Amino acid sequence: MRKLPDEHTQTLESYLVTITRPEVRSGVAKKQAQRKPAKRPAPSKPPKAAKAKPAADDNYVPFPDRFKAWWNGTELPQDKDAAIHTKQGPPLPAAKADAAEDIPTAAPIADSEWLDRIRARIWGEDFALPGGDGVIMNMAKAVDLKAGDHAGDILPGCLGPGRALADAFKTPVTCFFPPSDIERYASAQQTDFNMSVLDPEEPDFGTRVFDKLFCREVLCFLPRRENFLTKAAAGLRGGGNFVFNDVVMMNDAEDCAAVKTWRAAEPVKPIMNTMAEYTEQLTTARLETKSTANVSKSYVALVEADWRRLMESLETDPLPPEGVDALMEEGRRWQARIAALKTGQIAIVRFVTSLRTIRSLSGPA
């Protein structure tokens, strides 16, 4: 072991004696206590982030899914426990048509421009009723429309049917519109395709002008139907045909809740004839009934196919709120009409009639 020099040994012994005194030791302890750093608090753990709920848990269902469920009359899972909201429009009403107390009042008319756009999206550009140009083409074939025949399309709602006839049969066509619609289509005048104003209360088709007249699902909404049929007959040339589809009352339709619901959903309340009433009115108007056909089943299929195509398009091409309003108004009306047709208490009937000439009225020679 190494030995310290004498002077170093004396210095160390003196220091040890000094620090072992009680008064010195207490002072050293105080300084050490003062210099002792404050104990830092343990860092608090950050709060756990709330676990994100799946998208389905916030009760939001996209509008296309809600509309599809409403149209089909099915229940969405969330409807059992919570109100479902949508970012594209007001809550959808329940689809009920079985109880008299559930009969709705007519909905307010949506913006007409958006209604036109919605109808074009449902039925096809330039069409206002189901089936596109297929229905008017079948009506034309039923009476053997030929090139050169002068045809009239009565209150079609759009230009599509008349244009289809003119293009397919190379024949002049006149489309009859109410005064409120004629200005919208004035720019569409073209060769072999004309437009004329028609007052539904006082119709005027001219005298012996047309070889064929066509009309779809409109007569039940018109006042003074007997007068309308008489004027249509007056507009036909000898042997000419008037072909029309209309909603006809079957059995006890007036007491059917679904029929009442449909009538309430229409902006103009339909007044339906029975088959017997139509037969009498057509005879009075000198129109002979060549054939009738209940086309309700194919009509319902056309409507449902067109609405199904629309629902699929909503997933990739959504609507703004004003478009949703128009869609809901149109949807309520057609949902109610289809529900009423499915009861069998009303039917879409196609009438094929011809003008009875003086010779035919007098009987065989």
Side-chain angles (χ1 to χ4, degrees), residues 295-307:
V295 296
S296 301
K297 187 175 181 179
S298 60
Y299 185 86
V300 169
L302 287 173
V303 173
E304 292 182 334
D306 286 338
W307 278 93

Side-chain angles (χ1 to χ4, degrees), residues 12-343:
L12 179 59
E13 289 175 349
S14 175
Y15 175 75
L16 292 174
V17 170
T18 302
I19 64 171
T20 54
R21 293 176 182 173
E23 63 273 18
V24 174
R25 293 183 61 188
S26 62
V28 171
K30 286 180 182 180
K31 288 181 180 180
Q32 289 178 344
Q34 290 174 357
R35 287 196 303 264
K36 188 176 182 180
K39 188 177 181 180
R40 294 181 180 179
S44 58
K45 295 182 179 180
K48 291 185 179 180
K51 191 174 181 180
K53 293 182 179 181
D57 288 348
D58 66 356
N59 292 332
Y60 172 70
V61 176
F63 178 75
D65 294 338
R66 296 193 64 223
F67 185 83
K68 189 182 298 184
W70 171 73
W71 175 266
N72 294 327
T74 58
E75 186 182 55
L76 292 167
Q78 289 87 343
D79 283 337
K80 299 175 182 178
D81 302 313
I84 300 176
H85 59 275
T86 174
K87 296 177 182 177
Q88 290 204 54
L92 301 180
K96 295 181 180 180
D98 298 329
E101 59 268 24
D102 291 326
I103 296 173
T105 57
I109 302 298
D111 180 81
S112 60
E113 180 181 350
W114 265 106
L115 280 175
D116 287 344
R117 293 168 69 175
I118 289 297
R119 288 166 184 164
R121 191 159 166 177
I122 300 167
W123 314 123
E125 194 67 34
D126 269 347
F127 291 91
L129 290 169
D133 61 3
V135 175
I136 194 70
M137 299 297 284
N138 288 336
M139 296 172 82
K141 291 175 182 176
V143 289
D144 194 23
L145 180 65
K146 297 181 178 66
D149 286 346
H150 191 181
D153 192 14
I154 302 171
L155 303 173
C158 282
L159 296 173
R163 184 172 284 121
L165 290 178
D167 291 345
F169 294 95
K170 309 304 178 187
T171 190
V173 177
T174 298
C175 292
F176 291 93
F177 290 98
S180 59
D181 287 352
I182 197 70
E183 292 183 5
R184 288 195 292 168
Y185 303 115
S187 61
Q189 292 280 9
Q190 59 188 53
T191 304
D192 294 336
F193 187 83
N194 300 303
M195 276 166 288
S196 183
V197 177
L198 182 73
D199 181 353
E201 295 190 13
E202 289 295 337
D204 184 4
F205 301 99
T207 303
R208 306 294 175 254
V209 175
F210 296 95
D211 298 290
K212 316 291 181 186
L213 286 172
F214 303 98
C215 186
R216 286 193 60 187
E217 300 98 63
V218 170
L219 296 185
C220 64
F221 298 102
L222 300 181
R224 304 181 62 200
R225 194 171 327 177
E226 288 184 66
N227 180 59
F228 190 95
L229 293 172
T230 299
K231 293 296 181 70
L236 289 172
R237 294 169 180 166
N241 301 105
F242 180 29
V243 186
F244 63 95
N245 292 354
D246 199 23
V247 184
V248 176
M249 184 165 57
M250 317 292 281
N251 305 322
D252 298 322
E254 291 183 347
D255 298 326
C256 177
V259 175
K260 292 179 180 178
T261 300
W262 166 57
R263 293 188 73 247
E266 294 286 352
V268 178
K269 301 298 175 283
I271 304 296
M272 292 160 288
N273 275 351
T274 62
M275 290 297 292
E277 289 170 334
Y278 250 128
T279 299
E280 181 180 350
Q281 291 177 4
L282 289 168
T283 301
T284 301
R286 291 178 51 205
L287 289 169
E288 180 182 0
T289 303
K290 293 294 187 179
S291 67
T292 60
N294 186 336
V295 296
S296 301
K297 187 175 181 179
S298 60
Y299 185 86
V300 169
L302 287 173
V303 173
E304 292 182 334
D306 286 338
W307 278 93
R308 189 160 50 246
R309 188 163 46 250
L310 169 74
M311 287 185 278
E312 291 171 355
S313 74
L314 288 174
E315 297 178 1
T316 56
D317 187 10
L319 294 168
E322 58 270 26
V324 170
D325 291 341
L327 175 65
M328 291 306 304
E329 180 174 324
E330 195 75 354
R332 288 186 191 97
R333 187 162 68 94
W334 282 97
Q335 187 187 57
R337 181 180 292 198
I338 293 307
L341 285 170
K342 286 182 176 180
T343 66

